[in-house]
């Protein structure tokens, strides 16, 4: 594994408002200084989250609230302070969470709205060490900008094997017969079972686990059909499984195995009405979620002889009540949510979730994000410099708005030779939103909550693709951000149609600002930028350059865009360090400079 670095910390980087009141000329040039007084991260990657430091070290703190495999803990400990506190009460969890940057749970911990509210904004990642995320309030997580990641692959085989184990054990009364023998009985006639070979198995939910169950059931000689509204037909064909409607599946099956997630649409999917449509004597296996079955209706269906047997690993309430009629039913076999519980799966899940959580805390996009757009790794790598460009253009554009906060309508244009389907702009849009909102509010914006936050603030972002001729080798030629219905504190940033307009492109992997209003410039988007409009004349670069040089402010780049020789020009100056107020005031006093603005990136 690559060595782990300390996470990026938020450091004050534009604290002008904490200084004494500014001279009036300076205030005129920077009418919204106070708005930019909050702290920003000094260096930003295309981050989803940035962990805060704990009070005693620079490491983030990860609370592991349920048992996690050793290999995962070791990975976490290389990067974070790891607090393994199992069996916390809801109140204890809420108390602890305000001290944690990440939380790792399995299915036994309810991560509800209260947990996010109690975190005070510190909780940045919830890692679900498994597949089902029905125990995490995703809406609350998203609203709080908290990324939720899961470990979707490592326990697939374990769950499928447990499904098959329950199927066979149920058909041959293994659990009941075992209990009987241990009770001193020898009831060979009572526990005559049914055969699997030649029987029809309906797999409901033909995802990862469902298809592995289907594959294994085929090996046992069963006829397998499946119902899944979203499963691709070719995947089913490849395994030799026929995809059918829900009604057909339940009406023809001798055995039904459940493998869908618990969602509002699947909640109590098996109920009185659907049991009534089943073949008499059907046998049901559930290693998905208890809530997909109306458990009281199942008891009725068992008693009515519609359902001959059931084998259940999961329950709507876990653990179920000891006197639960369902659990105690003679023809029901139960296990305590053991589907993922093999040594191998737990080590795999622990590693999968630890890597996802550490990656997210380092600011990387997680491939297993549940409440953020999933962007494949190769697309991420390709988009990385454009992601940075997008955020910086948003950040620049909003700082050009007089008053800053009246931003409601933003138009983003992507010029690209790629077909629209080959260009995923969700990430870019999120980062533009981040760039626009963060400088003017105290909200932390990331890929998770960007759309939600924009909506909350009434910020409408429309996107436009400009299809260019040429080679689609690079994903984008340029990104343009326009803010409409506002005034600018730098009039030259206004386009002819009255919007603030900035445009940029990536050159040699580095984001550049290439247009301000209708002026073409070329300045790399690093450090900060001073934009000056001046009467185009010789010596301006030298004059401003020497004012900056006198204060030892390193100029990284200068570029002049003009309308015509000796008319107006916009000079863009990239500076590594922040010039003092006095220096900026001196620049503003250069007679040929008509307006200027200092923009923090
Ligand atoms: N008992 C355990 O310990 C255990 C272990 C692993 C997984 N699980 C559970 O098993 C379930 C499946 O896990 P997975 O990894 O296969 O997930 P998955 O996302 O790969 O598969 C779920 C499938 O269900 C389908 N689906 C969604 N709505 C449906 C509907 N209304 N009808 C039919 N199908 C529908 C989806 O299209 C998807 O193909 C999850 O609920 C998971 O939590 C339980
Ligand atoms: O959804 C899952 O991954 C399984 O139900 C496993 O849950 P567990 O991590 O609580 O065993």
């Amino acid at each position: 594994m690559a060595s782990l670095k300390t996470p990026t910390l938020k450091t004050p980087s534009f604290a002008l408002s904490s200084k004494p009141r500014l001279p009036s000329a300076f205030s005129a040039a920077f009418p919204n200084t106070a708005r930019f007084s909050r702290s920003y991260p000094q260096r930003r990657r295309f981050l989803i989250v940035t962990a805060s430091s704990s009070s005693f070290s620079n490491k983030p703190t990860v609370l592991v609230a349920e048992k996690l495999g050793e290999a995962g803990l070791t990975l976490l400990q290389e990067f974070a302070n790891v607090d393994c506190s199992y069996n916390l009460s809801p109140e204890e969890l809420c108390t602890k969470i305000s001290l944690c940057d990440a939380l790792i749970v399995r299915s036994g911990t309810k991560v509800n709205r209260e947990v996010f509210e109690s975190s005070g904004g510190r909780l940045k990642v919830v890692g679900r060490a498994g597949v089902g995320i029905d125990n995490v309030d995703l809406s609350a997580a998203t609203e709080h900008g908290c990324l939720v990641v899961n470990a979707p692959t490592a326990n697939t085989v374990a769950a499928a094997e447990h499904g098959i184990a329950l199927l066979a054990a149920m058909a041959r009364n293994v659990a009941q017969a075992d209990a009987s023998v241990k009770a001193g009985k020898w009831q060979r006639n009572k526990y005559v079972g049914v055969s699997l070979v030649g029987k029809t198995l309906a797999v409901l939910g033909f995802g990862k686990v469902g298809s592995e169950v289907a594959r294994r059931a085929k090996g046992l000689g069963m006829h397998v059909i499946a119902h899944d509204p979203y499963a691709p037909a070719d995947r089913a064909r490849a395994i030799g499984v026929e995809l059918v409607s829900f009604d057909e599946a339940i009406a023809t099956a001798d055995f039904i195995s459940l493998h869908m997630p618990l969602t509002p649409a699947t909640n109590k999917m098996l109920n009185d009405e659907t049991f009534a449509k089943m073949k008499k004597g059907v046998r049901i296996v559930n290693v998905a979620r208890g809530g997909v079955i109306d458990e009281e209706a199942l008891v009725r269906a068992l008693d009515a002889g519609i359902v001959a047997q059931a084998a259940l690993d999961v329950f709507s309430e876990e653990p179920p009540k000891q006197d639960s009629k369902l659990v105690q039913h003679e023809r029901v076999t139960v296990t305590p949510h053991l589907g993922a519980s093999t040594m191998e799966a737990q080590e795999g899940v622990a590693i999968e979730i630890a890597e996802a959580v550490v990656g997210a805390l380092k600011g990387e996009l997680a491939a297993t994000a549940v409440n953020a757009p999933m962007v494949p790794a190769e697309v991420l790598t390709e988009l990385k410099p454009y992601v940075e460009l997008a955020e910086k253009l948003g950040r620049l554009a909003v700082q050009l708005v007089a008053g800053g906060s009246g931003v409601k309508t933003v138009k983003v244009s992507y010029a690209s030779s790629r077909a629209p389907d080959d260009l995923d702009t969700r990430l870019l849009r999120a980062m533009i939103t981040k760039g626009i909102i963060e400088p003017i509010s105290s909200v932390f914006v990331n890929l998770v909550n960007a759309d939600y936050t924009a909506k909350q603030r009434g910020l409408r972002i429309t996107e436009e693709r400009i299809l260019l001729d040429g080679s689609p080798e690079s994903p984008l030629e340029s990104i343009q951000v326009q803010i409409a219905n506002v005034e600018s504190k730098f009039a030259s940033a206004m386009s002819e149609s009255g919007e603030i307009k900035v445009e940029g492109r990536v050159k040699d992997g580095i984001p550049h600002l290439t247009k301000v209003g209708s002026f073409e410039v070329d300045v790399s988007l690093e450090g900060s930028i001073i934009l000056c409009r001046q009467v185009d004349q010789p010596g301006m670069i030298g004059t401003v350059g020497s004012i900056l040089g006198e204060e030892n402010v390193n100029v990284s780049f200068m570029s002049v865009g003009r309308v015509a020789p000796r008319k107006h020009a916009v000079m863009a100056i990239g500076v590594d360090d922040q010039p003092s107020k006095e220096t900026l005031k001196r620049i503003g006093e250069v007679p040929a400079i008509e307006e200027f603005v200092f923009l923090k990136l």
Side-chain angles (χ1 to χ4, degrees):
M1 213 181 83
S3 68
L4 302 175
K5 291 200 184 111
T6 310
T8 314
L9 302 178
K10 290 208 170 198
T11 47
S13 55
F14 197 87
L16 289 174
S17 67
S18 62
K19 305 254 172 87
R21 277 194 75 77
L22 307 171
S24 57
F26 186 86
S27 301
F30 297 93
N32 300 299
T33 302
R35 291 199 177 280
F36 298 97
S37 62
R38 62 184 291 272
S39 333
Y40 308 132
Q42 205 121 51
R43 280 202 58 79
R44 286 159 183 274
R45 287 167 290 181
F46 56 122
L47 73 168
I48 289 192
V49 299
T50 304
S52 319
S53 59
S54 67
S55 54
F56 56 93
S57 81
N58 282 335
K59 285 181 167 187
T61 297
V62 178
L63 172 61
V64 178
E66 289 182 71
K67 180 122 183 55
L68 193 70
E70 276 305 320
L73 288 177
T74 306
L75 271 176
L76 289 170
Q77 279 152 354
E78 284 173 28
F79 179 72
N81 300 310
V82 179
D83 173 358
C84 292
S85 294
Y86 308 146
N87 304 317
L88 292 174
S89 68
E91 295 72 32
E92 287 167 334
L93 175 61
C94 285
T95 306
K96 254 184 187 290
I97 206 66
S98 62
L99 303 172
C100 302
D101 303 286
L103 166 68
I104 295 182
V105 297
R106 288 178 61 183
S107 61
T109 306
K110 295 259 174 293
V111 190
N112 53 24
R113 183 170 287 276
E114 228 183 318
V115 174
F116 294 102
E117 281 166 1
S118 306
S119 94
R122 178 155 172 186
L123 183 65
K124 292 288 176 264
V125 195
V126 171
R128 160 60 172 114
V131 187
I133 30 89
D134 44 287
N135 54 322
V136 180
D137 185 335
L138 288 185
S139 309
T142 304
E143 286 168 32
H144 287 80
C146 180
L147 179 72
V148 180
V149 288
N150 70 349
T153 60
N155 68 22
T156 300
V157 166
E161 287 178 350
H162 197 62
I164 295 292
L166 285 179
L167 179 80
M170 171 178 68
R172 301 306 295 271
N173 301 305
V174 171
Q176 292 85 346
D178 173 74
S180 158
V181 174
K182 286 182 174 143
K185 299 175 192 163
W186 193 254
Q187 301 173 290
R188 298 184 63 210
N189 292 336
K190 184 172 181 187
Y191 294 119
V192 173
V194 292
S195 192
L196 298 177
V197 70
K199 300 282 168 54
T200 297
L201 169 70
V203 171
L204 304 186
F206 194 66
K208 294 182 295 296
V209 179
S211 40
E212 288 305 319
V213 165
R215 205 191 300 278
R216 283 159 177 76
K218 295 277 295 179
L220 296 172
M222 299 186 84
H223 169 61
V224 183
I225 56 174
H227 168 71
D228 187 325
Y230 316 106
D234 55 348
R235 175 144 50 86
R237 251 194 317 273
I239 305 181
V241 170
E242 190 191 349
L243 281 178
V244 299
S245 69
F246 177 74
D247 280 355
E248 186 180 342
I250 60 168
T252 51
D254 301 301
F255 292 83
I256 293 174
S257 194
L258 302 174
H259 301 288
M260 71 284 279
L262 177 61
T263 65
T266 62
N267 189 32
K268 297 192 177 169
M269 218 170 152
L270 299 196
N271 49 41
D272 286 317
E273 201 185 318
T274 51
F275 284 126
K277 293 179 184 168
M278 291 178 191
K279 205 188 230 185
K280 201 163 175 357
V282 67
R283 290 176 163 81
I284 294 173
V285 176
N286 187 7
V287 291
R289 280 294 177 269
V292 302
I293 300 180
D294 177 341
E295 292 172 336
E296 288 177 6
L298 176 56
V299 173
R300 286 190 285 276
L302 281 158
D303 290 342
I306 301 173
V307 175
Q309 287 182 297
L312 311 171
D313 183 45
V314 283
F315 304 87
S316 56
E317 182 188 336
E318 292 184 1
K321 296 221 163 45
Q322 222 186 333
D323 61 354
S324 154
K325 276 192 186 159
L326 185 62
V327 172
Q328 298 300 337
H329 204 287
E330 207 199 346
R331 283 179 278 125
V332 174
T333 303
V334 289
T335 49
H337 202 148
L338 289 181
S341 296
T342 63
M343 309 288 278
E344 297 82 353
Q346 281 313 306
E347 278 307 285
V349 162
I351 292 169
E352 198 175 7
I353 203 63
E355 284 177 347
V357 167
V358 168
L361 287 173
K362 284 163 74 186
E364 292 161 8
L365 280 173
T368 58
V370 174
N371 60 343
M374 302 256 267
V375 187
E378 59 281 10
V379 177
L380 283 180
T381 309
E382 193 183 38
L383 280 184
K384 189 174 175 183
Y386 300 93
V387 165
E388 207 181 319
L389 173 65
E391 184 183 349
K392 288 184 169 172
L393 288 175
R395 196 166 284 276
L396 283 186
V398 78
Q399 290 181 71
L400 288 166
V401 176
S405 60
V407 180
K408 294 284 174 222
T409 313
V410 175
K411 181 173 162 194
V412 184
S413 306
Y414 308 99
S416 168
S417 314
R418 294 243 175 117
D421 283 355
D422 286 343
L423 181 63
D424 187 341
T425 60
R426 291 171 302 176
L427 185 51
L428 302 172
R429 187 183 65 231
M431 297 317 270
I432 290 168
T433 308
K434 178 182 177 67
I436 289 174
I437 292 179
E438 283 198 344
I440 56 172
S441 79
S442 56
V443 178
F444 173 85
V445 184
N446 60 14
L447 185 57
V448 176
N449 66 356
D451 286 345
Y452 171 81
T453 310
K455 206 167 160 200
Q456 287 292 103
R457 299 181 61 89
L459 173 65
R460 193 164 159 264
I461 301 193
T462 55
E463 294 177 291
E464 173 192 65
R465 310 280 180 96
I466 299 166
L467 194 56
L468 303 175
D469 290 335
S471 146
E473 218 165 77
S474 67
L476 278 158
E477 196 56 41
S478 65
I479 303 177
Q480 188 183 84
V481 176
Q482 294 185 57
I483 303 182
N485 308 323
V486 288
E487 289 185 3
S488 178
K489 59 175 136 170
F490 185 67
S492 316
M494 301 298 279
S495 69
E496 279 162 15
S497 46
E499 294 94 16
I500 289 180
K501 183 161 93 181
V502 289
E503 186 176 302
R505 53 189 68 207
V506 170
K507 297 182 175 184
D508 298 327
I510 310 272
H512 278 236
L513 175 68
T514 52
K515 205 163 189 178
V516 176
S518 33
F519 292 90
E520 303 214 340
V521 294
D522 190 358
V523 57
S524 78
L525 289 171
E526 294 167 299
S528 301
I529 286 185
I530 300 169
L531 292 177
C532 310
R533 187 186 63 199
Q534 70 212 36
V535 179
D536 185 31
Q537 58 183 260
M540 285 304 295
I541 290 186
T543 307
V544 177
S546 54
I547 293 174
L548 291 166
E550 279 165 31
E551 208 208 324
N552 207 21
V553 173
N554 196 38
V555 172
S556 57
F557 221 86
M558 274 189 167
S559 143
V560 179
R562 61 189 186 179
V563 189
R566 310 262 167 182
K567 295 212 167 143
H568 294 297
V570 164
M571 178 160 58
I573 306 160
V575 286
D576 289 341
D577 323 285
Q578 183 172 326
S580 68
K581 285 169 283 174
E582 191 49 41
T583 304
L584 291 170
K585 185 165 168 276
R586 282 179 62 199
I587 293 173
E589 286 166 357
V590 174
I593 291 183
E594 295 168 334
E595 60 169 350
F596 81 105
V597 66
F598 174 73
L599 304 168
K600 188 86 193 144
L601 286 172

